[in-house]
Amino acid sequence: MAGHIITVIGGKGGVGKSQVAANLAFAFAAESRSKVMLLDFDQKASGDQNFITGIKSKKTVRDLGDFNGAIDPRSIMPFLSAHPSGVQYIGMPSDPAASNAINSDGLGKFLKAAPNLYPLTVIDGGSELTPLTLKALEYSTAIFLVVTPDILALNQSRRLFSELVTMLFPKDMIIIIGNQVQKGHPVTPEVMGKTIGKPVFATIPKDDQICVTALNQKKPIMVIGKTSAFARGITECVRKLIQKNVLKTLARLNKPSEVQRTTTSSSSPDGGESKGNSWTDLKGRIHRTLVDEMDLKKSDKDDPKAQIILREQTKKMVVEILNKEDTKGILNSREDMNQIVKEVLDEALGLGPLEDLLADKLCSEIMVIGPDKIYYEYEGKIRKSNITFTNDRQVLNVIERIVAPIGRRIDEKTPYVDARLSDGSRVHAIIPPCALDGCTITIRKFPENRLTYKDLVKFGSMTQNMADFLRIAVEAHKNIIVSGGTGSGKTTLINVLGSFIPANERVITCEDSAELDLPQDHVVRLETRPPSLEGDGEIDIRCLVKQTLRMRPDRIVVGECRGGETLDMLQAMGTGHEGSMTTVHSNNPRECIGRIETLVQYAGAGLGAKAIREMIASAVHLIIQQSRLDDGSRRITYITELGGMQGDVVILQDIFVFNQRGFGRDGKIQGEYQATGFIPKFIEILEKKGYNVPRGLFNNTQPTAKPEEGKPAPADPNKGQARPGTPQRKVDPKKKRA
């Protein structure tokens, strides 16, 4: 069974973390009756563990770091110094120069193998996050942060705790150990835990006499003073670890790899890297000072005037802080000054590096993969941005800033969230442990102005005839399903179809994250709710759909069907709520039928395949296939009517299709929309009721678009739009003459 690594660190020197680390190893060896490895990684106190343990190390961790052979029980024997109690020890060189020359990457190879060699490895990590200590933390199961009840130690421990969390070490991984605790002291374990931000796991009483005696005799306290108060505190801590399986639980947490501190980065000799690091460090110092000086959370986020005032106040404070900083060699011009002020303001009050992309009207989607990769969609094509985040913690801060105002949460227990920005843009975020490369954000930007059918005709997403037909279908209360892949424009099309609904009808929308923006006044918008921290209180789409049936709806619009709510939606469509709409993920109308059939089975009603198909054939009137083509354009590729059942198969009849004929010189897809000539059945029914529906909508008598398509790329990305529009409305007279 794989073992575990515990690294013991302290916020400052003098808190007794080396004494705790050594005796922790001896106590664990005694309680578990197994061998324990003790390593000294404290470069600032070279050789102290030699005095605490009384073991003279044969070789040092420097020798181990330089070892190039395979790590196995036999190969590491020459490095070990064993104690009769079962502790095996490798110490730090007593020479400070030798301590600073240790190959931390070489030790990483040993740390990776250590859990297979020992049930427990205890590392004295010192009181500073040196590259050697960070390497130990990278492979650790738990981090023991030793704290003493004095103000300076508490302050430094809080700083260190915050820095570890910023590096994305899980809070659960950091275990607070109270050392030198005294009864009656004003700084109690509760105060210590509240100050640092996490409760104290175990306490070790103050016992100066045994500590001094042990150091004088160069023997561990667990060897010469097993009944002392200090020894009892250590033993209770170890038993708590073992009995509650704490280490096994922590081993499942996702820890950061390749941990580095931006503050310890050294500039290159030629100065090529120093500016970037210095710029980042300067921003970090300004931001920390800004947080100390101003309370940025007590602002009215819903009041635009208050936001403007807050931004001006913050800008003034940032400039004052900059004037106190030594910016020589970092800010070389007024442009540099303005840029760093803008970046700090964006990070403090906005979404950091994403603010510029959000402000760009031509950018339709933003995709963040960790701190170093930001992609965006520009005119239908995905490109990589030059901007980056400072670290993964900054990405996490942006996610928390997005989800907090709408009452959602994201943490290790629920590492994903659907949310929206204040302008309605859709946001999805997922963080470690599910996101392996760091925090991931996907933002689907909401258009500044609501798109209408005229815009879609202009873009070439449909023709004027298709738009007129869809208006007739919506006004005639036909049930419509918009089918398409991710990012194909389903939600945009639903918004356009929703705009055709008469203003005197009551519309109820159900969504995971509210995106629909219908122009009618009488619209009830419902949104799902995730479970609480206790795991209850969740409200899903299916629950909302059931509630709508009691709310006297004329139309029900569901943002997307992806589960059992599909059955409820079909039942609503077929029992008095005609004219309802929803979207489904599929590649073509025929696949859409199979997809709906599968989703209905998620409801667990036990319906047969034929019964489900009959329900679909009777409830759904039209399927509109929305596709994103290879050139990035989004088009309606099929408008299909469902014509009942023939045997076990649902009859599908295409009304309009998009025929692709290749690519133009500019890489744009060339093609044309075709009406198949089929007249939908409901059109005939409408005509019998007295409605005048132009039959010219279903003919292809407009001029051919071939000469247009042979030209170089026009300003409009789609040339098929020359066919619809006003000229096409002149088809009816020709129809009569024919």
Side-chain angles (χ1 to χ4, degrees), residues 295-308 310 347-351 397 400-406 422-423:
D295 189 355
L296 302 174
K297 295 183 179 180
K298 289 185 177 180
S299 60
D300 189 354
K301 299 183 182 298
D302 297 327
D303 187 353
K305 293 182 178 179
Q307 287 295 301
I308 294 174
L310 176 64
E347 291 179 17
L349 303 175
L351 302 184
N397 288 340
E400 291 174 344
R401 188 166 292 162
I402 292 172
V403 303
I406 60 173
S422 57
D423 64 354

Side-chain angles (χ1 to χ4, degrees), residues 702-718:
Q702 61 273 8
T704 179
K706 286 185 178 180
E708 289 286 330
E709 293 171 0
K711 292 182 180 181
D716 192 333
N718 301 294

Side-chain angles (χ1 to χ4, degrees), residues 282-565:
L282 179 59
K283 277 203 309 180
R285 292 196 300 272
I286 295 170
H287 193 79
R288 286 192 293 270
T289 307
L290 187 63
V291 171
D292 292 338
E293 296 289 338
M294 295 184 65
D295 189 355
L296 302 174
K297 295 183 179 180
K298 289 185 177 180
S299 60
D300 189 354
K301 299 183 182 298
D302 297 327
D303 187 353
K305 293 182 178 179
Q307 287 295 301
I308 294 174
I309 294 172
L310 176 64
R311 190 172 182 88
E312 290 301 319
Q313 291 175 343
T314 308
K315 183 177 181 180
K316 182 179 179 181
M317 179 64 68
V318 171
V319 173
E320 290 178 2
I321 297 171
L322 268 174
N323 291 333
K324 299 176 183 178
E325 288 278 348
D326 182 10
T327 60
K328 186 177 181 181
I330 305 175
L331 306 182
N332 301 317
S333 63
R334 182 173 292 276
E335 288 74 15
D336 288 346
M337 179 79 166
N338 293 336
Q339 180 64 25
I340 199 167
V341 170
K342 178 184 179 301
E343 290 182 12
V344 172
L345 288 176
D346 287 344
E347 291 179 17
L349 303 175
L351 302 184
L354 303 183
E355 286 291 329
D356 290 336
L357 290 174
L358 289 170
D360 190 341
K361 296 180 181 179
L362 297 179
C363 174
S364 58
E365 195 150 1
I366 303 169
M367 295 148 279
V368 179
I369 310 172
D372 301 322
K373 298 180 193 174
I374 299 178
Y375 294 87
Y376 62 98
E377 185 180 285
Y378 191 87
E379 296 182 342
K381 294 292 185 180
I382 295 179
R383 307 178 184 181
K384 187 174 183 179
S385 173
N386 293 325
I387 62 176
T388 61
F389 286 88
T390 305
N391 50 46
D392 220 337
R393 181 64 199 180
Q394 189 187 9
V395 189
L396 186 58
N397 288 340
V398 167
I399 296 173
E400 291 174 344
R401 188 166 292 162
I402 292 172
V403 303
I406 60 173
R408 306 255 169 146
R409 63 183 179 84
I410 187 167
D411 50 36
E412 292 174 11
K413 187 176 180 180
T414 309
Y416 52 85
V417 69
D418 283 310
R420 64 182 184 275
L421 299 180
S422 57
D423 64 354
S425 298
R426 179 198 305 175
V427 180
H428 177 270
I430 186 166
I431 64 173
C434 292
L436 301 181
D437 297 323
C439 299
T440 301
I441 309 173
T442 307
I443 300 176
R444 181 81 54 80
K445 287 179 61 179
F446 200 78
E448 187 176 3
N449 299 315
R450 183 190 294 120
L451 292 178
T452 67
Y453 76 93
K454 293 181 180 179
D455 295 310
L456 297 190
V457 171
K458 179 181 176 182
F459 298 153
S461 296
M462 66 170 98
T463 65
Q464 183 64 46
N465 278 7
M466 294 164 67
D468 291 340
F469 169 71
L470 292 177
R471 178 189 291 276
I472 293 170
V474 172
E475 292 180 351
H477 286 81
K478 296 298 135 183
N479 296 322
I480 298 174
I481 290 181
V482 178
S483 165
T486 300
S488 60
K490 299 188 299 299
T491 304
T492 299
L493 182 56
I494 281 282
N495 268 320
V496 171
L497 296 176
S499 68
F500 295 152
I501 298 174
N504 62 343
E505 296 188 16
R506 176 177 170 89
V507 183
I508 303 179
T509 67
C510 306
E511 301 173 82
D512 280 321
S513 181
E515 297 175 81
L516 296 176
D517 183 26
L518 303 183
Q520 292 84 356
D521 183 55
H522 197 167
V523 177
V524 181
R525 304 172 71 204
L526 305 180
E527 188 178 54
T528 61
R529 185 179 72 183
S532 65
L533 288 172
E534 293 76 23
D536 53 13
E538 180 181 11
I539 299 175
D540 58 12
I541 284 283
R542 188 172 190 187
C543 177
L544 294 181
V545 172
K546 291 179 179 178
Q547 299 307 310
T548 61
L549 302 178
R550 301 179 178 89
M551 299 171 65
R552 202 267 178 213
D554 289 315
R555 313 259 186 161
I556 300 172
V557 181
V558 175
E560 180 181 346
C561 282
R562 58 165 68 93
E565 66 273 4

Side-chain angles (χ1 to χ4, degrees), residues 82-265:
H83 191 277
S85 62
V87 174
Q88 295 185 346
Y89 170 65
I90 305 177
M92 178 68 63
S94 56
D95 180 11
S99 299
N100 292 327
I102 294 174
N103 179 8
S104 59
D105 292 330
L107 283 172
K109 184 173 67 171
F110 172 77
L111 294 174
K112 185 176 181 180
N116 297 321
L117 302 175
Y118 297 94
L120 183 70
T121 300
V122 179
I123 301 174
D124 179 3
S127 56
E128 293 186 13
L129 296 183
T130 62
L132 186 58
T133 302
L134 290 175
K135 182 61 67 175
L137 298 180
E138 184 179 326
Y139 290 95
S140 296
T141 303
I143 303 171
F144 276 26
L145 179 56
V146 180
V147 187
T148 53
D150 68 80
I151 301 302
L152 293 179
L154 276 177
N155 183 52
Q156 292 303 316
S157 298
R158 180 178 60 182
R159 172 196 59 80
L160 186 56
F161 180 82
S162 176
E163 191 165 358
L164 290 171
V165 173
T166 301
M167 293 177 180
L168 293 185
F169 285 103
K171 288 184 179 180
D172 290 342
M173 181 183 176
I174 308 169
I175 295 176
I176 310 299
I177 304 295
N179 190 27
Q180 301 177 17
V181 175
Q182 306 175 60
K183 289 185 179 180
H185 196 284
V187 182
T188 62
E190 289 74 20
V191 173
M192 295 162 66
K194 188 175 181 180
T195 303
I196 295 173
K198 186 174 181 182
V200 174
F201 177 80
T203 58
I204 303 170
K206 186 173 183 179
D207 194 347
D208 292 339
Q209 183 177 356
I210 190 64
C211 291
V212 172
T213 302
L215 287 176
N216 290 336
Q217 295 184 19
K218 293 186 179 180
K219 291 182 180 179
I221 296 174
M222 296 304 302
V223 173
I224 67 168
K226 293 182 180 180
T227 60
S228 64
F230 184 96
R232 289 198 302 271
I234 290 285
T235 302
E236 288 175 7
C237 175
V238 170
R239 288 175 179 171
K240 192 174 180 180
L241 286 173
I242 296 174
Q243 293 171 2
K244 294 190 175 183
N245 289 324
V246 173
L247 296 178
K248 288 183 180 179
T249 303
L250 297 183
R252 302 189 190 103
L253 297 177
N254 188 61
K255 293 93 177 176
S257 58
E258 299 296 330
V259 184
Q260 296 180 352
R261 296 178 70 197
T262 55
T263 54
T264 58
S265 301

Side-chain angles (χ1 to χ4, degrees), residues 589-604:
R590 176 61 63 187
E591 284 188 18
C592 181
I593 298 296
R595 173 74 171 156
I596 296 172
E597 184 179 336
T598 302
L599 294 176
V600 168
Q601 292 173 347
Y602 286 177

